[in-house]
Amino acid sequence: MLVSTLYGPGRPTALAAVDAVDLDDVLERDWRSYRAFQLRQLAASQEPEDLPEGVEPWDEDPGAPFDRWPGLAAGVPSLAGADSDAAARTAIARLTAGPFRLPKPHLALVPATRSADIPAVMGWQAEAPLPLLCALLRSWGDRFGAQVIAFDGAMIHISVARPPRDTHHATHLALEHVLTGADNINDGTVPYSDYAASLVDSPLWSFWWD
């Protein structure tokens, strides 16, 4: 695992708290809160605004196109050549070269039996919901060959061996990303549909919390 800068380490989160997360139940509850907020935002966007002449109102992002919780996105079957470790090495190479490489990264050893538990074991002190995040990482590992590969302050980078292959699948999966509460996904600068499209065939997912 690579570390550039790190929030923490702090007090580890007990893995029993991760084990106790009922992922579908927690995400459905969080989706209800997200959906209520989404509907309030859309309703507010319909109210007339006093804008200067010639200025068009900002179109509110409609968000995830689901009227009810759709459940967890289906995984991508493991195929020949879709090796998680190979995908991790490729993603690490991207993070250590090019214009967006991590500044001064160094290796870190964490006593975790699986990469999904690394944030909890190391006591990562970003504003991420660690039990939920680690439960999602475990599930993404099973469904998409995802592995935690790097931290840069409050940002976590995840390699993906089997990303979604089409927009429909990515649109479903993107809701799970949104429900992590990550600021880089929920700051309103990237429409939901554009973020979902960016996940198609993407070998690297990144999440950031303030």
Side-chain angles (χ1 to χ4, degrees), residues 177-199:
H177 288 211
V178 165
L179 295 179
T180 65
D183 291 306
N184 62 313
I185 303 170
N186 291 282
D187 64 0
T189 59
V190 180
Y192 183 94
S193 59
D194 290 354
Y195 178 75
S198 76
L199 299 180

Side-chain angles (χ1 to χ4, degrees), residues 21-32 69 72:
V21 173
D22 183 331
L23 199 52
D24 200 69
D25 182 67
V26 172
L27 290 181
E28 180 175 7
R29 182 190 63 208
D30 291 348
W31 174 82
R32 292 181 186 280
W69 168 239
L72 297 175

Side-chain angles (χ1 to χ4, degrees), residues 2 24 30 48 64 79 90 96-97 102 119 123 128-129 131 135 142 157 163 181 203:
L2 294 178
D24 200 69
D30 291 348
L79 302 173
T90 300
T96 54
L102 295 176
D142 294 337
H157 299 281

Side-chain angles (χ1 to χ4, degrees), residues 2-96:
L2 294 178
V3 172
S4 180
T5 58
L6 187 66
Y7 277 22
R11 176 176 295 179
T13 295
L15 294 183
V18 181
D19 297 338
V21 173
D22 183 331
L23 199 52
D24 200 69
D25 182 67
V26 172
L27 290 181
E28 180 175 7
R29 182 190 63 208
D30 291 348
W31 174 82
R32 292 181 186 280
S33 297
Y34 163 80
R35 180 62 172 163
F37 174 78
Q38 183 185 39
L39 292 175
R40 289 196 300 271
Q41 292 293 101
L42 289 173
S45 71
Q46 304 304 313
E47 297 177 0
E49 295 184 71
D50 293 326
L51 296 173
E53 185 177 351
V55 176
E56 294 294 327
W58 183 270
D59 290 333
E60 189 67 35
D61 176 18
F66 303 107
D67 291 326
R68 62 181 64 185
W69 168 239
L72 297 175
V76 176
S78 180
L79 302 173
D83 179 76
S84 297
D85 291 337
R89 289 191 294 270
T90 300
I92 287 172
R94 291 182 56 175
L95 293 174
T96 54

Side-chain angles (χ1 to χ4, degrees), residues 38 45 113 140 143 162:
Q38 183 185 39
S45 71
T113 58
W140 290 341
R143 287 181 285 152
R162 306 187 303 276

Side-chain angles (χ1 to χ4, degrees), residues 66-148:
F66 303 107
D67 291 326
R68 62 181 64 185
W69 168 239
L72 297 175
V76 176
S78 180
L79 302 173
D83 179 76
S84 297
D85 291 337
R89 289 191 294 270
T90 300
I92 287 172
R94 291 182 56 175
L95 293 174
T96 54
F100 303 109
R101 62 183 178 272
L102 295 176
K104 298 180 180 179
H106 58 273
L107 291 174
L109 297 177
V110 181
T113 58
R114 47 184 163 181
S115 75
D117 295 339
I118 288 175
V121 171
M122 71 191 305
W124 188 40
Q125 291 185 311
E127 294 300 318
L130 284 186
L132 172 60
L133 176 62
C134 290
L136 269 170
L137 289 168
R138 289 177 177 182
S139 182
W140 290 341
D142 294 337
R143 287 181 285 152
F144 304 104
Q147 293 198 76
V148 175

